[in-house]
Tab-separated table of all heavy atoms in Angstrom:
chain	number	residue	atom	x	y	z
A	136	LYS	N	47.980	-5.502	178.201
A	136	LYS	CA	48.204	-6.752	178.947
A	136	LYS	C	49.184	-7.573	178.125
A	136	LYS	O	48.962	-7.836	176.950
A	136	LYS	CB	46.901	-7.527	179.151
A	136	LYS	CG	47.064	-9.037	179.327
A	136	LYS	CD	47.646	-9.473	180.654
A	136	LYS	CE	48.187	-10.908	180.637
A	136	LYS	NZ	47.346	-11.961	180.151
A	138	GLY	N	51.157	-11.004	177.752
A	138	GLY	CA	51.182	-12.386	178.226
A	138	GLY	C	51.543	-13.301	177.085
A	138	GLY	O	51.861	-12.863	175.988
A	139	GLY	N	51.510	-14.572	177.365
A	139	GLY	CA	51.680	-15.568	176.319
A	139	GLY	C	53.002	-15.484	175.598
A	139	GLY	O	54.050	-15.222	176.199
A	170	GLY	N	51.314	-10.976	183.133
A	170	GLY	CA	50.917	-12.224	183.773
A	170	GLY	C	52.156	-12.944	184.268
A	170	GLY	O	53.202	-12.324	184.436
A	172	GLY	N	51.705	-16.858	184.971
A	172	GLY	CA	51.257	-18.206	185.353
A	172	GLY	C	52.247	-19.314	185.066
A	172	GLY	O	52.631	-20.060	185.976
A	173	PRO	N	52.726	-19.437	183.802
A	173	PRO	CA	53.636	-20.537	183.487
A	173	PRO	C	54.927	-20.488	184.316
A	173	PRO	O	55.400	-21.520	184.788
A	173	PRO	CB	53.936	-20.335	181.996
A	173	PRO	CG	52.774	-19.544	181.476
A	173	PRO	CD	52.333	-18.674	182.607
A	297	ASN	N	43.839	-12.858	188.381
A	297	ASN	CA	44.059	-13.067	186.955
A	297	ASN	C	44.519	-11.750	186.302
A	297	ASN	O	43.897	-10.708	186.496
A	297	ASN	CB	42.756	-13.574	186.330
A	297	ASN	CG	42.871	-13.685	184.839
A	297	ASN	OD1	42.600	-12.733	184.123
A	297	ASN	ND2	43.308	-14.819	184.359
A	298	ALA	N	45.600	-11.845	185.523
A	298	ALA	CA	46.186	-10.624	184.954
A	298	ALA	C	45.267	-9.962	183.925
A	298	ALA	O	45.293	-8.743	183.761
A	298	ALA	CB	47.539	-10.946	184.329
A	299	ASP	N	44.460	-10.762	183.219
A	299	ASP	CA	43.528	-10.163	182.252
A	299	ASP	C	42.518	-9.279	182.985
A	299	ASP	O	42.179	-8.176	182.535
A	299	ASP	CB	42.779	-11.253	181.477
A	299	ASP	CG	43.706	-12.117	180.628
A	299	ASP	OD1	44.645	-11.557	180.033
A	299	ASP	OD2	43.497	-13.338	180.572
A	318	THR	N	48.645	-11.531	173.094
A	318	THR	CA	48.662	-12.937	173.464
A	318	THR	C	49.335	-13.778	172.382
A	318	THR	O	50.048	-13.227	171.530
A	318	THR	CB	47.221	-13.416	173.800
A	318	THR	OG1	47.283	-14.756	174.277
A	318	THR	CG2	46.294	-13.325	172.603
A	350	GLY	N	39.865	-22.629	177.850
A	350	GLY	CA	41.167	-22.426	178.495
A	350	GLY	C	41.418	-20.984	178.897
A	350	GLY	O	40.542	-20.292	179.408
A	351	GLY	N	42.656	-20.531	178.619
A	351	GLY	CA	43.067	-19.184	179.007
A	351	GLY	C	42.288	-18.083	178.304
A	351	GLY	O	42.320	-16.926	178.731
A	352	MET	N	41.599	-18.441	177.203
A	352	MET	CA	40.821	-17.418	176.501
A	352	MET	C	39.531	-17.084	177.264
A	352	MET	O	38.945	-16.034	177.036
A	352	MET	CB	40.520	-17.872	175.067
A	352	MET	CG	40.007	-16.793	174.132
A	352	MET	SD	40.965	-15.257	174.100
A	352	MET	CE	42.394	-15.738	173.143
A	354	PRO	N	39.040	-16.407	180.710
A	354	PRO	CA	39.189	-15.165	181.494
A	354	PRO	C	39.473	-13.935	180.621
A	354	PRO	O	39.033	-12.829	180.938
A	354	PRO	CB	40.362	-15.454	182.438
A	354	PRO	CG	41.016	-16.698	181.931
A	354	PRO	CD	39.986	-17.460	181.156
A	355	LYS	N	40.182	-14.149	179.506
A	355	LYS	CA	40.489	-13.001	178.626
A	355	LYS	C	39.212	-12.484	177.964
A	355	LYS	O	38.974	-11.279	177.908
A	355	LYS	CB	41.505	-13.426	177.570
A	355	LYS	CG	42.356	-12.275	177.055
A	355	LYS	CD	43.363	-12.719	175.993
A	355	LYS	CE	44.311	-13.779	176.451
A	355	LYS	NZ	45.143	-13.358	177.594
B	626	MG	MG1	46.104	-16.135	180.350
Side-chain angles (χ1 to χ4, degrees):
K136 154 73 198 309
N297 175 271
D299 297 321
T318 185
M352 194 50 75
K355 207 180 302 299

